[in-house]
Amino acid sequence: MSVTIRVAPATSGPGLRLDADMPPLVAALRSHGADAEAVSWDRADVDWSAYDAVVIRSTWGYCERPVSYLAWVDAVEAVTRLDNPATPVRWNTDKRYLRELAAHGVPVVPTRFVAPGERAILPERGHFVIKPTVSSGARDSARYAAPEHHDAAARHIAALHAGGETAMVQPYLSRIDEGERALVFLGGTFGHAMRKGPVLTEVGVLDNDRHPHPGLAPYTPTAAELDLAVAALSVVPVAAHPLLYARVDVAPADDGSPVVMELELVEPNLFLADNPAALHRLAELIRARAVD
């Protein structure tokens, strides 16, 4: 007699309404023999131990409640299989992981971190970006021009500090209009990639309602981009089991060589609705890992 596998793709209130990948993922899991249902991560009435696997997907809003979110991550992993695992999720929720990537020789966007109480040193020329270290979808992120926007940028940093957040100062890459490349890995193997347009198109504007993936289109990564993504993933802390999924966002530096913008292990859009083969590959992996 076959055993029914129960899987909960973890989402949120907004995710239940807006996550385009969730309905096809739940349907794909069911087509592969799993009993699947989307469940909001912050529901208090859920017995997570009743599931054979909990898969973090659109757990939006965790940035506003990182302490509660990480407590949830640890609590779920204590009673069932969590994908991705708690160790890399905890590491990846704070973008100070970029410093660790750089220390291992992985090319990243040059980043200066400014913790509360520290003085910000802003670029003297060119465009630059201010964002918090705990963020998703360009939340509380803005692009500025030096030196005319120094005062506005300083106020932005002060507001982040007032909320207890560490700020990041990065150059705005001059070739970002060529597009960010999002490389998706499933079960440790490269699956597909998408290219998207720049998000911070307006200077001096803080807009949390921006579309996070404008101009999305399929993309074939270069060998250098693939090598960079693999190198970045090699730095991820070891957990009880390997990553289920990962997305590595890269972009061309001023000289055209690729650099890592972000390493997404928590709740990235994997563009499953645009890639049916990836959708079913992920469903197969989830089911197989749930019984492992």
Side-chain angles (χ1 to χ4, degrees), residues 27 105 158 235:
V235 182

Side-chain angles (χ1 to χ4, degrees), residues 18-59:
L18 303 174
D19 180 3
D21 281 343
M22 185 60 78
L25 178 59
V26 170
L29 284 165
R30 290 173 178 171
S31 74
H32 286 270
D35 177 6
E37 61 176 331
V39 184
S40 292
W41 72 271
D42 53 357
R43 273 180 50 185
D45 61 341
V46 179
D47 178 8
W48 298 102
S49 68
Y51 297 97
D52 298 287
V54 175
V55 181
I56 298 174
R57 291 310 308 126
S58 45
T59 53

Side-chain angles (χ1 to χ4, degrees), residues 38-199:
V39 184
S40 292
W41 72 271
D42 53 357
R43 273 180 50 185
D45 61 341
V46 179
D47 178 8
W48 298 102
S49 68
Y51 297 97
D52 298 287
V54 175
V55 181
I56 298 174
R57 291 310 308 126
S58 45
T59 53
W60 301 337
Y62 83 86
C63 295
E64 288 80 17
R65 293 176 286 164
V67 174
S68 296
Y69 184 72
L70 292 177
W72 171 80
V73 166
D74 290 339
V76 172
E77 187 168 85
V79 296
T80 190
R81 185 183 189 104
L82 180 69
D83 277 320
N84 279 323
T87 296
V89 165
R90 181 175 290 277
W91 177 80
N92 191 234
T93 52
D94 191 307
K95 291 181 174 60
R96 278 175 282 198
Y97 67 77
L98 289 171
R99 186 158 49 196
E100 191 168 340
L101 293 181
H104 282 80
V106 178
V108 303
V109 178
T111 305
R112 182 180 301 122
F113 298 96
V114 187
E118 295 181 343
R119 175 175 172 270
I121 301 175
L122 301 176
E124 292 299 323
R125 61 181 181 275
H127 287 199
F128 61 97
V129 173
I130 303 295
K131 63 177 72 169
T133 58
V134 180
S135 176
S136 65
R139 181 188 70 90
D140 292 345
S141 302
R143 169 186 174 188
Y144 298 99
E148 54 265 40
H149 290 153
H150 275 186
D151 288 347
R155 289 193 296 272
H156 186 170
I157 292 172
L160 293 176
H161 286 175
E165 298 186 88
T166 294
M168 302 165 61
V169 183
Q170 297 177 317
Y172 186 79
L173 299 179
S174 64
R175 298 179 60 167
I176 195 65
D177 287 349
E178 297 175 21
E180 296 181 32
R181 294 87 151 116
L183 281 64
V184 176
F185 290 74
L186 300 176
T189 301
F190 171 72
H192 60 282
M194 304 291 283
R195 179 168 57 193
K196 55 184 180 177
V199 176

Side-chain angles (χ1 to χ4, degrees), residues 231-252:
L233 291 172
S234 73
V235 182
V236 176
V238 175
H241 47 274
L243 296 173
L244 170 65
Y245 59 76
R247 198 184 86 200
V248 187
D249 291 350
V250 306

